[in-house]
Amino acid sequence: NAGVTQTPKFRVLKTGQSMTLLCAQDMNHEYMYWYRQDPGMGLRLIHYSVGEGTTAKGEVPDGYNVSRLKKQNFLLGLESAAPSQTSVYFCASSRRQFEQYFGPGTRLTVT
Amino acid sequence: DQQVKQNSPSLSVQEGRISILNCDYTNSMFDYFLWYKKYPAEGPTFLISISSIKDKNEDGRFTVFLNKSAKHLSLHIVPSQPGDSAVYFCAVHQFYFGTGTSLTVIP
């Protein structure tokens, strides 16, 4: 099992560009999440999904959109990147409300 | 306003001794707490959890204690090993994470 994978691992964007981060899990988990980690801030929840076709806002959703068209995939989109979105992004999945399995992270720099 | 606080950014202990990592939360309605461990350039990995119906949960060298009246939980690692050196996050459900405590175990 690959667990949770994230694509890409690194990306540099210019302000105003758009991109999509892909998260995939092969554990048949219902719940999936996107977090960002900034220095001194811990992990903050951006958006999450409790099942295929559902999404919900987390603590810091502004500037991001998500889609969960397939159970195993959760996409995070940045429509117009800003320097404040420079961060490390982690995807996670879980069975209902139990422990999460995290991907390796995507390091995004917006210049 | 932070819902979960880890007030010690770092902790150093000697190998073989006990490591105690602390976490405070704000909302008495929170009922499920988790600890994760994170190595550099990797995602967090689950370590141990506790439900509010318990005040202690053990898994090998790791024990989590929950004090509901104080809204405080702690993670004890006994004995500490150099491989335990990592950043430890406490979390409430999947929604709120602390800022982490960097543990260094000195051989």
Side-chain angles (χ1 to χ4, degrees):
Chain A
N1 285 353
V4 179
T5 57
Q6 292 183 232
T7 309
K9 288 186 170 50
F10 303 94
R11 185 73 186 268
V12 178
L13 284 180
K14 293 188 189 304
T15 297
Q17 286 185 319
S18 64
M19 77 165 294
T20 300
L21 283 68
L22 172 63
C23 176
Q25 54 97 2
D26 61 1
M27 296 172 282
N28 202 34
H29 285 166
E30 288 294 329
Y31 287 41
M32 295 188 75
Y33 316 80
W34 276 107
Y35 296 88
R36 59 180 289 174
Q37 186 187 15
D38 302 297
M41 299 290 289
L43 279 79
R44 291 183 293 168
L45 182 63
I46 304 171
H47 286 280
Y48 65 101
S49 168
V50 300
E52 182 179 320
T54 75
T55 62
K57 294 180 180 179
E59 186 181 0
V60 288
D62 294 341
Y64 305 94
N65 56 75
V66 288
S67 64
R68 182 101 182 266
L69 299 179
K70 293 183 179 180
K71 185 177 184 179
Q72 63 269 33
N73 295 338
F74 195 29
L75 279 64
L76 179 71
L78 287 73
E79 289 187 349
S80 180
S84 60
Q85 294 177 304
T86 293
S87 188
V88 181
Y89 292 85
F90 289 102
C91 175
S93 70
S94 70
R95 287 186 304 117
R96 295 180 64 85
Q97 297 184 51
F98 295 104
E99 64 270 18
Q100 296 164 297
Y101 294 78
F102 283 83
T106 295
R107 186 173 295 275
L108 175 66
T109 302
V110 182
T111 61
Chain B
D1 208 17
Q2 275 196 296
Q3 304 281 346
V4 181
K5 295 181 183 178
Q6 294 177 257
N7 292 318
S8 298
S10 62
L11 175 68
S12 291
V13 298
Q14 292 285 338
E15 181 178 2
R17 305 295 290 268
I18 185 171
S19 296
I20 300 176
L21 295 91
N22 295 303
C23 180
D24 297 297
Y25 59 96
T26 57
N27 191 330
S28 57
M29 298 297 289
F30 292 157
D31 61 2
Y32 192 68
F33 307 88
L34 309 97
W35 284 93
Y36 290 86
K37 176 179 180 179
K38 185 183 182 302
Y39 293 117
E42 295 183 9
T45 56
F46 170 74
L47 201 53
I48 193 168
S49 62
I50 189 166
S51 163
S52 61
I53 62 172
K54 295 185 174 182
D55 53 18
K56 177 182 173 182
N57 189 27
E58 282 182 87
D59 185 359
R61 297 185 297 115
F62 302 92
T63 303
V64 56
F65 294 91
L66 177 61
N67 182 334
K68 290 184 286 293
S69 61
K71 289 185 279 191
H72 177 83
L73 63 155
S74 60
L75 175 68
H76 293 209
I77 306 173
V78 183
S80 301
Q81 299 174 353
D84 296 330
S85 297
V87 176
Y88 290 78
F89 292 98
C90 66
V92 174
H93 293 275
Q94 295 87 351
F95 297 116
Y96 303 110
F97 280 72
T99 52
T101 296
S102 179
L103 173 66
T104 302
V105 180
I106 304 162

